[in-house]
Amino acid sequence: MEKVRIRRELLEYLLELARGFYPNEFAGFLRERDGIFEEVLIAPNPHFGRNSAFFDTWLLPHDESVKGTVHSHPGPNPRPSGADLHFFSKFGGVHLIIAYPFTEDSVRAYRSDGKAVKIEVVE
């Protein structure tokens, strides 16, 4: 199984974001450096609702280090929905879903086609 690497500090921050936006979803873009996700980029003017997150991708800067996305699910299901898979197909890379109750065990990673990817947390 393929894997994605993420810094522990970033993962903990993403979990805090998910808890802070609950019961709404949040979404962002993941920046990678040397094969490890290290930062999150939140698009300007986002709408984070109970069933979806939306932002105008035209407002994003051109950034070669963006290699994935992250969003939360306010419910306990970490699997991608049809809308998630459609979104994934437009951005490539790896996509994290953080499901309620927003713990390390409720985070899943997927490729653009929806296939699961293992997560390795690095210090």
Side-chain angles (χ1 to χ4, degrees), residues 25 27-29 55 67-73 78-98 108-117:
E25 290 190 11
F29 295 88
F55 36 82
K67 303 292 184 188
T69 69
V70 58
H71 76 277
S72 63
H73 280 182
R79 297 174 57 96
S81 67
D84 292 338
L85 291 172
H86 178 74
F87 175 74
F88 293 175
S89 73
K90 295 189 175 298
F91 285 96
V94 174
H95 309 275
L96 301 183
I97 295 177
I98 305 171
R108 300 291 184 276
Y110 301 94
R111 294 187 329 193
S112 293
D113 62 5
K115 183 178 178 194
V117 176

Side-chain angles (χ1 to χ4, degrees), residues 29-110:
F29 295 88
L30 296 170
R31 286 182 168 145
E32 182 184 83
R33 189 173 305 125
D34 298 324
I36 302 171
F37 286 131
E38 294 195 346
E39 296 178 331
V40 63
L41 171 67
I42 306 295
N45 262 349
H47 165 74
F48 298 143
R50 288 181 185 252
N51 297 312
S52 65
F54 173 81
F55 36 82
D56 187 346
T57 56
W58 290 102
L59 297 176
L60 289 172
H62 177 72
D63 188 335
E64 295 284 330
S65 68
V66 172
K67 303 292 184 188
T69 69
V70 58
H71 76 277
S72 63
H73 280 182
N77 184 355
R79 297 174 57 96
S81 67
D84 292 338
L85 291 172
H86 178 74
F87 175 74
F88 293 175
S89 73
K90 295 189 175 298
F91 285 96
V94 174
H95 309 275
L96 301 183
I97 295 177
I98 305 171
Y100 182 86
F102 315 121
T103 63
E104 197 170 316
D105 291 334
S106 64
V107 180
R108 300 291 184 276
Y110 301 94

